Amino acid sequence: MAHRQPILLIDSPSLYFRAYFGIPESAAKTSDGQPVNAVRGFLDMLAQLVRTRRPDRMICAMDHDWRPAWRVELLPSYKAHRVAPEGGEVVPDTLSPQVPMILEVLDALGIPVVGATGYEADDVLGTLSVTQPGPVEVVSGDRDLFQLVDDARPVRLLYVGRGVAKLDDCDDAAVRARYGVPADRYADFAALRGDPSDGLPGVAGVGEKTAARLIDRYGGLDGILAALDDPRSGFAPGLRAKLDAARDYLAVAPKVVRVATDVPLPELDPTLPTSPADPERLLELARRWNLAGSCRRLVDALAGDRS
């Protein structure tokens, strides 16, 4: 079925972490003092996205496994610095209780939420981006999702690095302008460059410019590694030595960085509701958690004309 309007695929953890750190706890609490800053900020972000992007469908993706074992097996350093002493991800104590609140409000609204055992939200978004009819707009502050951009489908990344009010609406040209590589080579680029936030060491001495230049010249990591074995390929001796020393890392890093697009997901109806699925429950949650304003803004956005 062809759609004129986009489906919004929401990287929920990316947005609620941003909301949590962007709104002071003191500014958003329940009557008994429980912080709801992440909930309120997340709902306000969705309201703004619905108003400005005018989608006809929406799915919120969740992390059912923030550090999948198959990625750690390939690269033990993957997100290792974010593991709490008792196991699990390091998450602020006052954020964790807000995630179930977000899920309850979304359920009352009738906005679908999906995750998958053994996969991150990124992988859910990747799979949805290739299985849902376009146009597709992925909303995230995660740079790894630049790899999903595909002008042919089309799939765009609405990058929230500067916040939802200042979205960077990215097609392939925007990815090229930002990083010097096409979107379908972003995973190779990220593996070369590295990403400390995910525990990806990268190739020592290879930064963004060198990584982009290598990909431009050799087409991607496969071409780079093949050229390493060719004495006529023109590598500077120092760069050849750095890449050669990183062969083991480069054999696994792209598999870690690449977003899965074949995650088994349940059947979903992504149609965006024009009114809450359970208005009485939504009203009760809004009262209980002091979310009346945010819930009203999102309900009003859903009821607006999106034609």
Side-chain angles (χ1 to χ4, degrees):
M1 177 182 176
H3 289 262
R4 289 187 300 113
Q5 295 158 276
I7 180 171
L8 283 187
L9 303 180
I10 306 295
D11 183 351
S12 302
S14 178
L15 265 60
Y16 65 62
F17 266 94
R18 177 171 293 276
Y20 176 82
F21 289 108
I23 300 174
E25 289 184 12
S26 59
K29 290 187 176 184
T30 64
S31 58
D32 60 1
Q34 184 177 5
V36 289
N37 51 327
V39 188
R40 188 178 293 180
F42 182 84
L43 297 176
D44 283 342
M45 288 180 190
L46 291 192
Q48 178 148 350
L49 286 164
V50 172
R51 282 196 309 270
T52 57
R53 306 309 299 187
R54 303 172 78 171
D56 62 358
R57 296 156 292 149
M58 179 187 287
I59 299 174
C60 291
M62 294 294 293
D63 277 332
H64 279 195
D65 193 339
W66 69 279
R67 190 175 181 249
W70 59 271
R71 282 193 167 106
V72 177
E73 185 176 345
L74 289 167
L75 190 67
S77 66
Y78 183 66
K79 295 186 178 179
H81 61 296
R82 288 156 57 182
V83 178
E86 66 279 7
E89 185 179 15
V90 176
V91 178
D93 291 342
T94 50
L95 172 56
S96 296
Q98 297 188 57
V99 178
M101 295 180 181
I102 289 171
L103 297 179
E104 281 206 57
V105 173
L106 291 175
D107 186 58
L109 285 162
I111 295 173
V113 178
V114 66
T117 301
Y119 292 97
E120 301 175 53
D122 287 8
D123 303 309
V124 174
L125 293 163
T127 300
L128 292 170
S129 77
V130 301
T131 56
Q132 291 294 317
V136 175
E137 295 185 343
V138 180
V139 185
S140 178
D142 186 340
R143 294 185 299 176
D144 285 341
L145 294 180
F146 281 112
Q147 66 187 275
L148 299 183
V149 170
D150 181 352
D151 288 358
R153 290 210 67 232
V155 180
R156 307 173 79 91
L157 177 66
L158 306 183
Y159 186 63
V160 297
R162 297 181 299 160
V164 170
K166 297 180 180 178
L167 287 174
D168 289 324
D169 183 352
C170 298
D171 58 5
D172 192 72
V175 180
R176 290 174 186 264
R178 184 185 286 261
Y179 295 112
V181 298
D184 64 0
R185 288 289 178 262
Y186 183 85
D188 286 357
F189 167 80
L192 285 165
R193 176 202 61 198
D195 189 344
S197 68
D198 279 341
L200 289 171
V203 177
V206 173
E208 286 197 354
K209 290 183 179 178
T210 301
R213 190 167 65 248
L214 286 168
I215 288 172
D216 181 60
R217 181 167 183 176
Y218 298 105
L221 267 180
D222 289 344
I224 293 167
L225 292 172
L228 273 181
D229 297 321
D230 182 355
R232 300 166 300 174
S233 58
F235 280 110
L239 181 56
R240 182 187 292 274
K242 291 171 184 174
L243 291 166
D244 201 46
R247 277 182 187 267
D248 289 347
Y249 162 75
L250 291 175
V252 298
K255 300 172 189 174
V256 174
V257 177
R258 285 191 190 110
V259 171
T261 56
D262 57 354
V263 177
L265 297 175
E267 287 291 324
L268 294 166
D269 179 3
T271 304
L272 199 60
T274 56
S275 61
D278 191 339
E280 290 187 9
R281 182 164 165 240
L282 181 64
L283 184 60
E284 191 273 324
L285 294 175
R287 287 173 175 164
R288 186 198 311 172
W289 293 328
N290 194 21
L291 299 170
S294 294
C295 287
R296 183 175 59 253
R297 285 187 285 274
L298 183 47
V299 169
D300 288 347
L302 293 173
D305 181 10
R306 297 192 296 272
S307 62

